[in-house]
Amino acid sequence: MLVLGIETTCDETAAAVVRRRDDGSGEIASNVVLSQAAHAAYGGVVPEIAARAHVEVLDLVVAKAMVEAELNFQQLDGIAAAAGPGLIGGVIVGLTTAKAIALVTEKPLIAVNHLEAHALTARLTHNTAFPYCLFLASGGHTQIVAVIGVGEYVLIGTTRDDALGEAFDKTAKVLGLPYPGGPEVEIEAARGDPSRFALPRPMVDRPEPDFSLSGLKTALRLEAERIAPLTEQDVADLCAAFQAAVIEIVTDRLRVGLRVFRERFGRPTALVIAGGVAANQEMRSGIARMAASLGTPLVAPPASLCTDNGAIIAWAGAERLARGLTDTLDASPRPRWPLQAPPPAPPIAPPEAQ
Ligand code: KG4
Ligand code: ZN
């Protein structure tokens, strides 16, 4: 089964083709990602600029993905696009493009939840069996999720304030590092001393596997203001202290999350990490040590498949298509779309006749 996937929910314009075999394994035929550079000057993603940039390049990105896969549209079995959650202008561009291709080729459309795409990546890269425990850490989300099956997700823990990637990005901004901040903080941290600044570890040792990051972010800002102006070494040491605190928080929260998973669903086949923050190598090592101590296998897709791309959208599309889960051409773009679909709203009773 061959599926085209389109991703435009944030500032990556991406398209890819993946192949799903009958045994459930997968293979990437092409994966084209164009990261929009225009946002760096603003220190964050500007939705209007992002939407316009998607319009300008998406056709070319899709064409390149098809050429690299050495396929024409008629050879595809389905057309998938991320239909949310994300910046609505970009989502409309990607979903509308997918609808147009589906309409012309008469192939099924799959409107994919971007979070579900991150959640299912491990099945593309490692053929991971259900049920597994997912740690999803991106710019907008920080969640521990029980992945029971395709379309079956149970939220175990989440953040009460900032997302992890957001905390990395805000830390970078306070320290004068460019956007996106996560990779910059990681580079700086590598040459810093994590023990010079004592930063808090909010929520650590709490019995519920939730996160809170705003206190850590504020503590870092106050330290930076206290010692300003910052030298290069100060920046590196602050990044190292921040990253060390985050990794300690994450490993503690995941240890609790895995305990809750076992109590509710039995042993997971693996702990899977996904989302842009999972590209952080130190974070991966910390999580790997924690998982090993519990005897839980860790599945970490390559960093290039943790950040946003079309292959994970195409794969989620293929997983849904294989189960007959397709969408109609009136599928709506959704700026907000929780992974755990809310129960259907109860029918509204007709007003009582007076
Ligand atoms: O999943 P993703 O590509 O896009 C969203 O769906 O949000 O995640 C982007 C986030 C950004 O906040 C970025 O700073 C963070 O992931 N990130 C990292 C690293 N690479 C990307 N955070 C920490 N360390 C990294 N190496
Ligand atoms: Zn993402």
Side-chain angles (χ1 to χ4, degrees):
M1 177 183 286
L2 288 162
V3 176
L4 169 69
I6 294 174
E7 159 60 36
T8 53
T9 62
C10 194
D11 58 344
E12 267 86 28
T13 313
V17 178
V18 304
R19 179 177 285 108
R20 184 183 183 282
R21 303 189 195 88
D22 289 343
D23 67 0
S25 65
E27 183 190 14
I28 297 175
S30 66
N31 194 11
V32 181
V33 182
L34 198 71
S35 293
Q36 301 174 0
H39 305 288
Y42 301 92
V45 178
V46 184
E48 181 62 22
I49 294 178
R52 285 170 190 273
H54 288 307
V55 171
E56 277 164 24
V57 298
L58 182 57
D59 286 1
L60 286 172
V61 169
V62 169
K64 190 157 188 265
M66 296 303 294
V67 168
E68 288 184 10
E70 297 179 19
L71 294 168
N72 60 53
F73 287 124
Q74 281 307 331
Q75 291 168 287
L76 297 171
D77 297 289
I79 318 295
L87 300 173
I88 191 66
V91 174
I92 290 171
V93 174
L95 184 59
T96 307
T97 302
K99 285 179 182 178
I101 298 170
L103 186 66
V104 170
T105 57
E106 298 182 342
K107 306 285 180 185
L109 171 78
I110 309 106
V112 169
N113 181 317
H114 178 94
L115 302 176
E116 179 171 40
H118 281 304
L120 296 176
T121 304
R123 292 171 55 77
L124 166 64
T125 57
H126 293 73
N127 214 356
T128 307
F130 298 122
Y132 53 84
C133 184
L134 168 74
F135 175 48
L136 172 60
S138 68
H141 296 87
T142 303
Q143 302 187 339
I144 304 174
V145 178
V147 181
I148 310 298
V150 173
E152 286 181 81
Y153 311 98
V154 180
L155 186 65
I156 291 180
T158 187
T159 180
R160 298 182 175 180
D161 38 59
D162 293 351
L164 260 177
E166 193 182 349
F168 269 94
D169 293 338
K170 286 180 177 168
T171 291
K173 201 166 185 176
V174 163
L175 300 178
L177 299 170
Y179 178 87
E184 301 288 332
V185 170
E186 181 174 17
I187 293 166
E188 290 294 324
R191 54 179 197 86
D193 171 10
S195 63
R196 181 172 151 208
F197 298 99
L199 296 177
R201 274 90 167 126
M203 300 294 290
V204 161
D205 290 338
R206 291 276 287 263
E208 69 280 23
D210 284 338
F211 295 78
S212 169
L213 296 154
S214 67
L216 171 61
K217 180 189 69 186
T218 305
L220 179 122
R221 181 173 53 76
L222 293 176
E223 284 291 344
E225 285 171 5
R226 188 175 62 78
I227 60 164
L230 302 177
T231 65
E232 280 185 12
Q233 195 57 47
D234 293 336
V235 170
D237 291 345
L238 283 165
C239 285
F242 172 80
Q243 188 171 277
V246 165
I247 292 171
E248 208 175 303
I249 294 166
V250 165
T251 49
D252 176 79
R253 306 289 70 209
L254 287 178
R255 192 177 294 115
V256 176
L258 283 166
R259 186 161 71 225
V260 171
F261 188 111
R262 275 195 300 275
E263 284 163 9
R264 293 180 60 183
F265 307 103
R267 268 191 93 78
T269 61
L271 170 64
V272 169
I273 58 176
V277 181
N280 186 293
Q281 290 302 328
E282 281 292 310
M283 174 97 67
R284 285 170 173 248
S285 310
I287 295 173
R289 276 193 298 277
M290 182 276 299
S293 76
L294 295 179
T296 304
L298 175 70
V299 171
S304 62
L305 294 177
C306 283
T307 49
D308 291 347
N309 65 86
I312 66 172
I313 306 298
W315 175 252
E319 290 260 61
R320 294 186 74 82
L321 183 58
R323 290 162 179 80
L325 301 169
T326 60
D327 295 274
T328 52
L329 289 176
D330 59 0
S332 302
R334 301 173 71 168
R336 302 179 69 80
W337 188 359
L339 188 50
Q340 307 73 21
I348 300 167
E352 300 263 322
Q354 294 292 320

